[in-house]
Amino acid sequence: MESIIGIEIYPIISLVLFFSFFVGLLIWVARTKKEYINHLENLPLED
Amino acid sequence: MSGEIQKFYYDNKIVKMFAYATGIWGIVGMLVGLLVAFQIYFPALNFNLEYTTFGRTRPLHTNAVIFAFVGNGIFTGVYYSLQRLLKTRMWSDKLSMINFWGWQLIIVSAAITLLAGFTTGKEYAELEWPIDIAIAGIWVVFGWNMFATILTRRERHLYVAIWFFIATFVTVAVLHIVNSFELPVSFMKSYSWYAGVQDALVQWWYGHNAVAFFLTTPYLGLMYYFLPKAAQRPVYSYKLSIIHFWALIFLYIWAGPHHLLYTSLPEWAQTLGVVFSVMLIAPSWGGMINGLLTLRGAWDKVRDSAVLKFFVVAVTAYGMATFEGPMLSLKSVNAISHYTDWTVGHVHIGALGWNGFLTFGMMYWLIPRMFNTKLYSEKLANVHFWIGTIGILVYAVPLYFAGFTQYLMWQEFTPDGFLAYPNFLETVTQIIPMYVTRSIGGTLYLIGALVMFYNIVKTIKAGDFIANEAAEAPALEKAFIPKLGEYWHRPIERKPIQLLIFALIVILIGGAVEMVPTFLIKSNVPTIEAVKPYTPLELQGRDIYIKEGCYNCHSQMIRPFRHEVERYGDYSKSGEFVYDHPFQWGSKRTGPDLAREGSKKLRKSHSWHFNHMENPQSMSPGSIMPNYPWLLKKDIDIESTPAKIRAMQTLGVPYEDGYDAKAIDELKAQAIEIETKLKEEGIKHADANKEIIALIAYLQRLGTDVEK
């Protein structure tokens, strides 16, 4: 194969995808409720 | 939403078994490491025996430490924490046992076969195809047991440690399968499916991510569990741990090409490797900070607890190694570090500091608890801590020094434009004192581990093992109604299968973007007309080169630097390796590069090689290369030739049709030619049937095609 047709678009798509993923992640993390985080972070300490 | 309270028992027996295996294999792995460290400057310790030469003991050491010591350490920690985090017993005791015994069997067969010379010749993936299949099988058993446990849990939410375990499971499975694509030639002999540059890319995508997903992510999971436990306080920031997780697995998978800077790997792939490696510093340090700050305001506890001390140094070593890693990925720094002992120093900060100390801390914490007693001696644990810490420093610092020194000598020119140290060996003898010091560091570290062994045995003797630990928790209600306005990430984090698929997608993209173009697009590996397949004798010689693990000391990849071109000849082109299944670029130059060993510039007589292989010091006084006397005694495995030719044909090497039938005759003819030449040169006992003849044929071929 000499080249892949339209290859230029792939890096852009991946960049957009991952950028949105991380932005989404940050938003979710920032807005998560305290009590919920509290529950999770104490899981190792139960028992 | 709580259901009826249920009683159940945690399975401690399986944890205990894995913990014992971790301890025993740890000591074995370290002992072999020490042997290897001594062999480097005291070649007599190769014992003139094929089974105990460096080319075989070094892979044994790396495999033992990674897969036996750390591998069992992972299982110990996972089997302990998973049950407790999910408030349930492991789903199947039977699968747990299969996981345990299967893994130990793999380790034993790995040890035997590596020393016997069965190897694929790919670093950290040396095990031959039947063992590869067994590893895949046992890994699936582990994953199956883990997932079934997760699905029958009593705690709805999956703590972040479990995400790390899940990512570890899927990614290691993918890495192992893709990198182990090989064509069996016979029982215990195979050729890598990929050749040259492509093989190198896959191998280091694997190699780097073995560091990431075998030595790092599962241990981060353990850190997120055991550090809070030992400190009796939650992790500093749970939110940070979520970001840590996703950023880490996303970035890591791209970093492999930083092992191939300045090689024939296409430039764009190298650049991707560099960029992602540099970004990795962010999540890595996020993780380190999260670990260390968990102890904020509790540093008085650290003073009194050996466990916490081990954890603090482990996490600090993680921070050091993950700072150094991105630095080593910068091309200008890599030009210095690559092929030198700097890399060896770097990985040992990770292995001894991060993996070793985290494991030790975990052991000191776990064993007394499972045996319902106190640690036999806190004082001895502290002694271990200090000997170990000093051991790490005495190990690593000299190697940094050695790396720098040797690089400076390699690249120095005299005012007249000649290499200042044209004899490679000079640059080796210069750093022998550093090798000696390093082995002292390793000895200290091992002594520390033995102190622990004693301490743990005493603890076990005094204690009373709780094989089944009683616990109770409410049953999980089947129908869970998500609260209104719940954010999108929550269902993912609650649902293990989705988490697995998500993690899988994230890691597949990185691998695919780097590999697909390198495999499919011609311009990435320009062909060179003059490069032809190996003759049957050379092919056999190459297999001997692989079998003896010469790649553990010799590279076959000349980088485009003035000093390398001056020393070894023109820099390597990707088209030169298209028939190399597997590639043999190597990663460390304890001896000189051999990519053009047969070229006009470097060529030596057959008899030179003959004498040199039998006893390197006879040709290169002061050499630290092992003797290979058995190559003069053992016959070439001539009968295997047709099958090997056919396998190569299947892999796309253009031998003419029906060549397999002629191969043996051609092999013999070329061998006789070499024998005759050797006799002319005064080696009366030269014998065309012996392995040395094939090896000479191979060495003399290296780098000659492009001269035609």
Side-chain angles (χ1 to χ4, degrees):
Chain A
M1 200 189 283
E2 297 301 334
S3 79
I4 298 176
I5 304 154
I7 182 126
E8 310 79 33
I9 195 72
Y10 288 89
I12 298 172
I13 295 176
S14 1
L15 185 70
V16 170
L17 271 177
F18 279 107
F19 192 74
S20 347
F21 176 73
F22 278 99
V23 169
L25 183 68
L26 286 176
I27 294 174
W28 175 72
V29 166
R31 294 179 55 180
T32 309
K33 293 219 175 55
K34 187 110 187 83
E35 57 204 82
Y36 173 65
I37 292 285
N38 261 343
H39 171 69
L40 275 167
E41 68 184 10
N42 280 301
L43 282 175
L45 303 178
E46 296 170 11
D47 85 41
Chain B
M1 60 180 214
S2 55
E4 44 152 343
I5 299 285
Q6 296 179 328
K7 273 190 182 321
F8 56 95
Y9 294 91
Y10 294 130
D11 181 2
N12 277 347
K13 188 167 161 221
I14 188 69
V15 182
K16 179 182 86 170
M17 290 165 75
F18 275 121
Y20 286 5
T22 308
I24 292 166
W25 291 126
I27 286 174
V28 171
M30 289 173 214
L31 267 175
V32 181
L34 216 48
L35 171 67
V36 174
F38 283 115
Q39 284 176 329
I40 280 278
Y41 63 87
F42 197 54
L45 286 176
N46 289 290
F47 304 116
N48 282 340
L49 268 180
E50 59 172 311
Y51 311 107
T52 48
T53 21
F54 185 82
R56 300 194 191 177
T57 50
R58 192 262 182 180
L60 178 65
H61 163 61
T62 53
N63 277 278
V65 168
I66 299 172
F67 300 109
F69 172 56
V70 176
N72 277 304
I74 294 171
F75 292 132
T76 307
V78 170
Y79 275 92
Y80 187 86
S81 61
L82 196 68
Q83 301 185 69
R84 282 149 181 94
L85 286 170
L86 299 173
K87 302 197 174 75
T88 179
R89 189 184 178 89
M90 287 309 294
W91 180 67
S92 158
D93 285 6
K94 205 172 259 152
L95 286 185
S96 303
M97 283 297 148
I98 296 175
N99 185 174
F100 178 82
W101 287 111
W103 197 252
Q104 311 316 315
L105 209 65
I106 287 168
I107 292 168
V108 171
S109 52
I112 295 170
T113 58
L114 286 175
L115 291 183
F118 299 104
T119 170
T120 62
K122 292 173 68 160
E123 270 179 275
Y124 319 116
E126 285 93 349
L127 302 175
E128 265 298 353
W129 66 273
I131 304 180
D132 278 344
I133 293 174
I135 293 172
I138 294 302
W139 195 253
V140 167
V141 167
F142 163 59
W144 176 11
N145 205 9
M146 175 163 77
F147 266 91
T149 308
I150 294 175
L151 294 176
T152 51
R153 65 193 186 274
R154 292 191 182 81
E155 162 58 50
R156 178 147 349 249
H157 300 285
L158 300 179
Y159 182 65
V160 68
I162 298 173
W163 307 8
F164 277 102
F165 300 155
I166 292 175
T168 300
F169 168 70
V170 261
T171 314
V172 169
V174 172
L175 292 168
H176 175 67
I177 292 169
V178 174
N179 192 45
S180 300
F181 254 77
E182 53 214 357
L183 183 67
V185 181
S186 61
F187 180 62
M188 295 309 284
K189 171 75 194 164
S190 67
Y191 289 125
S192 173
W193 195 265
Y194 322 102
V197 178
Q198 292 152 357
D199 198 33
L201 178 63
V202 175
Q203 158 64 22
W204 285 112
W205 165 81
Y206 162 88
H208 190 73
N209 288 302
V211 174
F213 289 88
F214 207 83
L215 301 176
T216 307
T217 53
Y219 267 56
L220 284 171
L222 301 186
M223 174 188 91
Y224 276 120
Y225 181 78
F226 286 102
L227 186 59
K229 274 228 103 68
Q232 288 167 314
R233 44 175 44 215
V235 63
Y236 169 64
S237 164
Y238 192 81
K239 292 182 175 183
L240 181 55
S241 76
I242 297 170
I243 297 168
H244 179 202
F245 173 80
W246 286 108
L248 197 78
I249 66 163
F250 169 56
L251 296 178
Y252 243 131
I253 203 81
W254 298 74
H258 70 211
H259 290 259
L260 298 168
L261 299 182
Y262 290 113
T263 67
S264 320
L265 184 73
E267 193 72 35
W268 60 266
Q270 298 188 27
T271 307
L272 271 180
V274 171
V275 170
F276 279 88
S277 304
V278 171
M279 290 196 287
L280 260 175
I281 203 169
S284 303
W285 273 50
M288 172 190 72
I289 289 168
N290 213 358
L292 289 180
L293 287 188
T294 299
L295 298 167
R296 78 202 174 286
W299 288 93
D300 51 314
K301 278 193 193 162
V302 177
R303 209 181 43 226
D304 303 330
S305 152
V307 170
L308 285 178
K309 281 199 197 92
F310 275 107
F311 285 164
V312 167
V313 170
V315 176
T316 309
Y318 173 64
M320 293 299 104
T322 55
F323 173 73
E324 198 184 7
M327 294 304 115
L328 292 173
S329 308
L330 299 174
K331 282 188 114 176
S332 50
V333 181
N334 191 270
I336 304 174
S337 68
H338 195 49
Y339 293 136
T340 74
D341 286 294
W342 188 346
T343 311
V344 184
H346 168 63
V347 302
H348 281 85
I349 295 288
L352 302 173
W354 165 240
N355 295 111
F357 269 34
L358 202 89
T359 311
F360 299 150
M362 181 175 82
M363 294 286 219
Y364 283 125
W365 189 88
L366 262 183
I367 298 285
R369 257 164 202 77
M370 292 196 302
F371 282 83
N372 197 21
T373 178
K374 278 205 143 35
L375 186 64
Y376 167 70
S377 164
E378 186 75 15
K379 201 180 216 155
L380 278 181
N382 277 305
V383 169
H384 175 196
F385 171 78
W386 286 109
I387 304 183
T389 306
I390 295 167
I392 295 173
L393 292 175
V394 178
Y395 183 102
V397 174
L399 287 189
Y400 290 118
F401 199 76
F404 264 106
T405 308
Q406 201 177 23
Y407 168 75
L408 290 176
M409 292 177 84
W410 285 350
Q411 58 85 53
E412 190 174 333
F413 279 92
T414 64
D416 312 327
F418 296 106
L419 286 170
Y421 302 95
N423 182 0
F424 184 92
L425 188 54
E426 259 186 284
T427 73
V428 180
T429 35
Q430 182 69 31
I431 55 175
I432 297 260
M434 301 298 123
Y435 286 148
V436 175
T437 319
R438 174 264 292 270
S439 62
I440 296 171
T443 309
L444 289 175
Y445 193 87
L446 177 64
I447 291 173
L450 292 171
V451 170
M452 174 176 92
F453 200 80
Y454 173 77
N455 203 353
I456 295 282
V457 169
K458 280 292 202 187
T459 308
I460 290 168
K461 286 245 167 77
D464 219 349
F465 182 57
I466 317 165
N468 296 296
E469 192 177 320
E472 49 182 43
L476 201 59
E477 277 167 15
K478 281 278 176 293
F480 176 70
I481 303 138
K483 284 194 215 93
L484 219 63
E486 204 180 49
Y487 300 110
W488 61 275
H489 192 274
R490 250 195 234 182
I492 293 183
E493 148 277 325
R494 227 175 25 233
K495 293 186 182 144
I497 306 286
Q498 273 93 324
L499 190 76
L500 175 137
I501 293 169
F502 233 72
L504 185 66
I505 294 172
V506 166
I507 62 125
L508 283 182
I509 291 178
V513 170
E514 284 171 356
M515 276 179 225
V516 172
T518 311
F519 277 75
L520 292 186
I521 301 180
K522 261 199 200 128
S523 63
N524 279 321
V525 189
T527 38
I528 301 174
E529 202 55 46
V531 174
K532 297 279 183 288
Y534 296 105
T535 68
L537 186 66
E538 290 158 5
L539 189 63
Q540 291 286 9
R542 190 168 200 273
D543 283 342
I544 294 165
Y545 184 93
I546 292 168
K547 178 177 179 187
E548 298 305 342
C550 311
Y551 68 87
N552 287 290
C553 285
H554 290 286
S555 59
Q556 288 190 22
M557 171 47 64
I558 304 166
R559 297 177 295 175
F561 299 142
R562 177 176 165 223
H563 67 94
E564 296 213 352
V565 172
E566 181 64 28
R567 191 182 293 277
Y568 304 118
D570 197 9
Y571 66 88
S572 299
K573 318 287 187 305
S574 51
E576 293 181 78
F577 305 99
V578 290
Y579 305 128
D580 286 5
H581 298 268
F583 81 117
Q584 287 289 286
W585 294 358
S587 61
K588 171 72 177 65
R589 280 185 191 145
T590 301
D593 189 277
L594 297 178
R596 306 205 184 285
E597 184 61 10
S599 68
K600 291 192 196 84
K601 185 183 177 73
L602 299 178
R603 196 176 183 85
K604 297 159 187 69
S605 63
H606 291 350
S607 59
W608 190 93
H609 283 300
F610 192 97
N611 291 324
H612 183 253
M613 292 310 299
E614 184 177 23
N615 176 8
Q617 304 199 13
S618 68
M619 294 288 112
S620 305
S623 177
I624 58 163
M625 178 164 142
N627 301 341
Y628 289 89
W630 60 92
L631 297 179
L632 279 62
K633 299 199 191 86
K634 292 177 71 172
D635 285 340
I636 303 168
D637 181 13
I638 292 179
E639 295 312 315
S640 66
T641 315
K644 285 182 173 177
I645 296 287
R646 285 193 297 273
M648 285 293 172
Q649 284 171 322
T650 309
L651 296 173
V653 179
Y655 292 108
E656 68 197 74
D657 278 347
Y659 188 68
D660 58 326
K662 292 188 255 177
I664 292 187
D665 288 342
E666 289 203 8
L667 181 151
K668 284 182 177 159
Q670 193 186 1
I672 297 279
E673 231 174 81
I674 294 176
E675 182 198 277
T676 315
K677 195 82 197 285
L678 280 169
K679 286 190 167 146
E680 279 169 28
E681 290 171 11
I683 308 226
K684 297 288 173 250
H685 57 295
D687 176 350
N689 296 315
K690 302 301 172 191
E691 290 192 335
I692 182 81
I693 305 289
L695 187 61
I696 291 175
Y698 172 63
L699 291 172
Q700 299 291 35
R701 169 71 182 268
L702 288 171
T704 56
D705 281 7
V706 288
E707 286 185 332
K708 282 185 193 126

